[in-house]
Amino acid sequence: MTIFSIVLIILFFGLLIAVHEFGHFIAAKIMGVRVNEFSIGMGPAIISREKGETLYSLRVFPVGGFCAMEGEEESSDDPRSFHNKPFWKKLIILVAGAFMNFVTGLVIILVLLFLVGSPAAPVFTGVMEGAEAVLDTGLQPGDQFYTIDGHRIYFQSDAMIYLQRAGEQVEVTVLRDGEKVDLGEIYLPYRQLTDETGAQVEKRGIYVGQYLEDTVATRLQNTWYQAIDYVRMVWMGLGDIFTGAVGLRDMSGVIGIVAMAGDVGQAGAEAAGMFGAVVNLLDFTALIAINLAVMNLLPIPALDGGQIFLLIVNGIYHLFSKKYIDQKYLGYVNMVGFICLIALMILVAISDVNKYIL
């Protein structure tokens, strides 16, 4: 792990937080909500300046930030308070942070694809020696995987991930000469094979991956596909947590993210110098940006998704009772959620220290 990589990822991480909070801030301003303070970072303020009705501040720790709106945590008589705005305006303000993170990830991916080109396509190119039986399944060299077990396949990496998670019977649809061909369930067992180095390996025995003609149109399309891929990775990870496939030691907090970013940057530097390090770190940042967008919309108190959930609950309550839940009670729920998140972050941080430092 290099100091350069660590500094760079901290700067990128701080930028993502700034962009997220700016999303809330600009949406609040557009919707006519009074913003009391807009802060980047947490802890004591390093710099603060009041302009108009809003205090702008930069704080010590670049691991958070906030957009403090009037009437967000408690009831307010101010007609410009968040609490007194209609449902649709509140919803736009709450979604704006995650939206900005997603757009940031999208822009980073777009820049990267124009710098280094699109990833390899999921084209079946042949079989290893000893796995010739695969050709009897209906797969033909040149076929491009379209779905595997119902999952849309965009890139070589998708094919490898979903083949790894599949059983011996794999449901496959391919693109052949521009037409979709449903091969149904095909038999792709793991076999004892000999690789190029002469070592004995257990693999399915198929080669996947081919770089296709890259145009402006394909790079634009692949930018969207890569963003969708990152969203799927987040959901896949959440699914693994809920099913018990991964545990606490497999989760990563700020320490783990910085450590992984350092490894990613170092791998890029070894492959292509500083340019490779920056490219790898930008790609990692795009993944984190989209990860933040998805995670923030989960219906967990203290997150944007939790706020949206409580907003809907409050709306349903008003529909039947003609009253609103007191804002202070919603604040208590968010406080409990915040404490639980902090506790989880501490546990994950302790796990990160054991994995990456001790």
Side-chain angles (χ1 to χ4, degrees):
M1 185 191 306
T2 65
I3 297 297
F4 170 76
S5 295
I6 294 173
V7 171
L8 206 57
I9 199 63
I10 290 174
L11 290 175
F12 287 161
F13 198 70
L15 178 63
L16 293 181
I17 294 168
V19 166
H20 180 92
E21 294 304 327
F22 180 74
H24 291 310
F25 171 77
I26 197 67
K29 289 289 188 181
I30 291 172
M31 295 299 152
V33 173
R34 178 188 175 94
V35 179
N36 296 324
E37 183 175 357
F38 175 62
S39 173
I40 301 300
M42 303 295 283
I46 302 173
I47 303 171
S48 61
R49 181 181 177 185
E50 191 164 357
K51 186 175 180 181
E53 64 187 16
T54 305
L55 177 67
Y56 300 87
S57 58
L58 179 66
R59 296 175 181 267
V60 173
F61 305 111
V63 291
F66 58 87
C67 173
M69 296 175 282
E70 179 71 20
E72 184 181 9
E73 298 295 335
E74 56 186 21
S75 299
S76 171
D77 295 329
D78 190 334
R80 294 183 58 229
S81 73
F82 177 82
H83 175 69
N84 291 325
K85 292 298 178 181
F87 175 87
W88 66 272
K89 288 190 176 183
K90 294 178 184 177
L91 184 62
I92 288 174
I93 293 168
L94 292 174
V95 170
F99 174 77
M100 286 296 289
N101 278 143
F102 185 83
V103 169
T104 300
L106 207 61
V107 169
I108 293 173
I109 294 168
L110 180 64
V111 170
L112 285 175
L113 293 196
F114 274 90
L115 282 175
V116 300
S118 294
V123 177
F124 170 59
T125 57
V127 297
M128 296 176 65
E129 185 178 348
E132 290 81 3
V134 170
L135 299 175
D136 298 330
T137 64
L139 268 177
Q140 298 179 12
D143 285 349
Q144 183 170 327
F145 285 101
Y146 185 79
T147 63
I148 293 176
D149 284 343
H151 300 285
R152 181 74 164 88
I153 304 300
Y154 302 113
F155 307 114
Q156 175 195 37
S157 56
D158 296 335
M160 305 314 294
I161 288 172
Y162 285 106
L163 282 172
Q164 185 178 17
R165 297 170 74 92
E168 292 190 341
Q169 294 288 344
V170 186
E171 190 174 336
V172 172
T173 299
V174 299
L175 289 177
R176 182 178 297 163
D177 299 325
E179 299 289 333
K180 289 183 192 177
V181 178
D182 184 5
L183 300 179
E185 283 196 352
I186 64 175
Y187 185 53
L188 288 177
Y190 282 89
R191 300 174 168 87
Q192 282 294 126
L193 302 169
T194 304
D195 67 12
E196 295 83 355
T197 65
Q200 291 295 304
V201 294
E202 190 172 345
K203 292 187 175 183
R204 294 186 191 267
I206 64 174
Y207 293 118
V208 179
Q210 181 177 312
Y211 288 97
L212 303 179
E213 182 183 1
D214 215 6
T215 64
V216 171
T218 59
R219 290 180 185 182
L220 290 172
Q221 181 183 61
N222 287 336
T223 294
W224 177 252
Y225 287 162
Q226 185 69 79
I228 296 302
D229 238 7
Y230 285 161
V231 172
R232 287 199 303 185
M233 287 175 64
V234 177
W235 282 113
M236 194 184 298
L238 288 171
D240 287 344
I241 290 172
F242 285 115
T243 59
V246 299
L248 179 65
R249 283 193 59 80
D250 300 299
M251 300 173 67
S252 292
V254 175
I255 296 172
I257 289 172
V258 171
M260 285 187 287
D263 293 340
V264 166
Q266 186 171 340
E270 290 172 356
M274 185 170 290
F275 176 77
V278 172
V279 164
N280 277 14
L281 286 171
L282 280 173
D283 186 46
F284 189 75
T285 304
L287 172 62
I288 296 299
I290 292 174
N291 192 303
L292 285 174
V294 175
M295 296 296 289
N296 262 291
L297 291 179
L298 294 177
I300 299 173
L303 297 180
D304 296 335
Q307 297 271 52
I308 293 169
F309 177 73
L310 292 176
L311 188 64
I312 294 171
V313 169
N314 207 2
I316 294 172
Y317 178 76
H318 175 73
L319 187 65
F320 288 98
S321 69
K322 305 304 178 185
K323 298 178 182 179
Y324 287 105
I325 302 172
D326 194 313
Q327 197 70 11
K328 69 179 181 181
Y329 296 119
L330 300 179
Y332 294 154
V333 173
N334 282 325
M335 184 185 300
V336 171
F338 181 75
I339 292 171
C340 291
L341 283 176
I342 292 298
L344 178 61
M345 288 173 64
I346 291 172
L347 288 174
V348 172
I350 292 171
S351 176
D352 282 347
V353 168
N354 290 329
K355 282 190 292 185
Y356 299 106
I357 298 177
L358 298 182

